[in-house]
């Protein structure tokens, strides 16, 4: 059952328990906690509202930094510029990738001047061949301009609602669809039943034959969860075509 549906006491208790276990194994100098605001490759799992704020509180109590990894969720994908906006939590460090480079290998680490200078004072090093590469930086700046100019946050919210409605319609006709979740244009479709892993693989194969690349969670036991993250610039016609193909594949997987 998705975490968000079990009630506030349960997740708070689980968070408390998790930190009790961490504290029991720590010498007391924990550096940071890094999380995705929506677990993407883990099966499109959304923490309940309040979870990230409670996690930040746990971090503060221990002098730890909170790092939010928005490589997948950031830059308009969820219908907001950042998924963290739903929770109103400002992390100490934010990481971005994927959308930022529009296909180019570009990632960013965003933090405060204070943390940056503490890292510098402690001689922390980070370098790669392409660090501060002006070409990909120019691409990244253009991506930010286009996201702003074309209001792709609003577009992702609108297309996400369209896609979700289509998936819900499919779920009405395919009882094997057990859950639809996610936000904006980052949606998860979970297949139910004991054969979900094999069925997920068979539906993925059939979709590919029909011209649709589907991304399925690769974790054992979670192989029946599709991760759907179409381009932010997709059209309703393209989403409809994807839904039609998924419909056919669910009818006759192989
Ligand atoms: C959640 C998340 N964080 C970080 C990364 C790593 O991104 P990159 O290799 O672009 O830095 C990925 C890549 O799949 C990811 O999905």
């Amino acid at each position: 059952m998705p975490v968000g549906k079990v009630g506030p006491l349960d997740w708070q208790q689980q968070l408390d328990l998790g930190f009790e276990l961490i504290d029991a194994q720590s010498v007391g100098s924990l550096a940071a906690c890094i999380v995705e605001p929506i677990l993407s490759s883990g099966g499109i799992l959304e923490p309940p509202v309040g979870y990230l704020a409670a996690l930040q509180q746990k971090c503060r109590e221990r002098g730890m930094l909170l790092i939010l990894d928005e490589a997948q969720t950031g830059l308009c994908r969820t219908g907001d510029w950042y998924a963290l906006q739903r929770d109103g939590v400002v992390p100490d460090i934010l990481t971005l990738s994927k959308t930022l480079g529009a296909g180019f290998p570009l990632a960013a680490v965003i933090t405060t001047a204070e943390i940056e200078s503490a890292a510098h004072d402690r001689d922390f090093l980070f370098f790669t061949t392409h660090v501060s590469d002006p070409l990909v930086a120019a691409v990244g700046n253009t991506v930010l301009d286009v996201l702003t100019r074309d209001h792709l946050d609003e577009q992702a919210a609108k297309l996400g609602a369209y896609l979700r409605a289509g998936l819900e319609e499919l779920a009405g006709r395919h009882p094997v669809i057990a859950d639809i979740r996610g936000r904006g244009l980052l949606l998860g479709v979970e297949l139910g039943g004991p054969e979900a892993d094999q069925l997920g693989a068979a539906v993925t194969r059939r979709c590919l034959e029909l011209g649709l690349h589907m991304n399925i969670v690769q974790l054992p036991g979670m192989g029946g969860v599709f991760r759907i993250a179409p381009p932010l610039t997709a059209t309703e016609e393209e989403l409809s075509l994807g839904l039609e193909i998924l419909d056919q594949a669910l009818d006759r997987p192989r």
Side-chain angles (χ1 to χ4, degrees), residues 19-43:
F19 269 88
E20 274 171 33
L21 289 173
I22 290 168
D23 289 339
Q25 295 174 60
S26 146
V27 294
S29 58
L30 293 158
C33 174
I34 180 165
V35 291
E36 291 179 87
I38 300 174
L39 265 78
S40 179
S41 308

Side-chain angles (χ1 to χ4, degrees), residues 10-201:
D10 295 278
W11 66 253
Q12 182 69 60
Q13 282 173 12
Q14 287 177 14
L15 186 66
D16 292 344
L17 179 64
F19 269 88
E20 274 171 33
L21 289 173
I22 290 168
D23 289 339
Q25 295 174 60
S26 146
V27 294
S29 58
L30 293 158
C33 174
I34 180 165
V35 291
E36 291 179 87
I38 300 174
L39 265 78
S40 179
S41 308
I44 313 291
L45 298 173
E46 282 201 89
V49 175
Y51 187 91
L52 290 179
L55 178 64
Q56 185 166 50
Q57 182 57 29
K58 295 277 184 208
C59 290
R60 292 222 167 109
E61 286 162 9
R62 290 162 180 79
M64 299 164 74
L65 301 181
L66 176 64
I67 306 173
L68 288 187
D69 177 349
E70 294 233 27
Q72 294 208 24
T73 54
L75 302 178
C76 301
R77 165 115 344 244
T78 63
D80 281 318
W81 267 78
Y82 302 98
L84 60 84
Q85 285 172 253
R86 185 202 72 171
D87 300 80
V89 166
V90 178
D92 301 292
I93 299 175
L94 174 70
T95 59
L96 298 174
S97 181
K98 309 209 188 279
T99 299
L100 183 61
F104 275 71
L106 175 63
V109 175
I110 297 154
T111 190
T112 60
E114 195 187 351
I115 292 173
E116 194 275 336
S117 104
H120 186 261
D121 292 346
R122 292 175 198 186
D123 297 328
F124 292 170
L125 289 178
F126 173 76
F127 44 82
T128 72
T129 306
H130 294 287
V131 74
S132 304
D133 188 320
L135 171 65
V136 288
V139 171
N141 277 330
T142 305
V143 166
L144 295 178
D145 290 344
V146 172
L147 293 175
T148 309
R149 185 196 68 197
D150 295 348
H151 305 284
L152 288 183
D153 52 339
E154 291 164 21
Q155 180 73 354
K158 185 168 149 270
L159 287 175
Y162 181 85
L163 181 58
R164 184 184 278 266
L167 292 169
E168 274 162 9
E169 195 274 321
L170 283 189
R173 290 185 291 106
H174 297 279
V176 73
I177 296 182
D179 193 25
I180 297 167
R181 52 185 183 249
R183 226 185 292 167
L185 275 182
L186 182 62
L187 295 179
V189 172
E190 178 161 0
L191 304 179
E195 308 285 306
D197 276 35
Q198 292 90 316
L199 181 61

Side-chain angles (χ1 to χ4, degrees), residues 199-221:
L199 181 61
V203 171
T204 304
R205 275 195 301 276
R206 185 70 188 127
C207 281
L208 195 57
E209 283 172 4
L210 295 169
L212 175 68
H213 177 261
M214 287 294 279
N215 190 308
I216 193 136
V217 173
Q218 302 284 343
L219 301 172

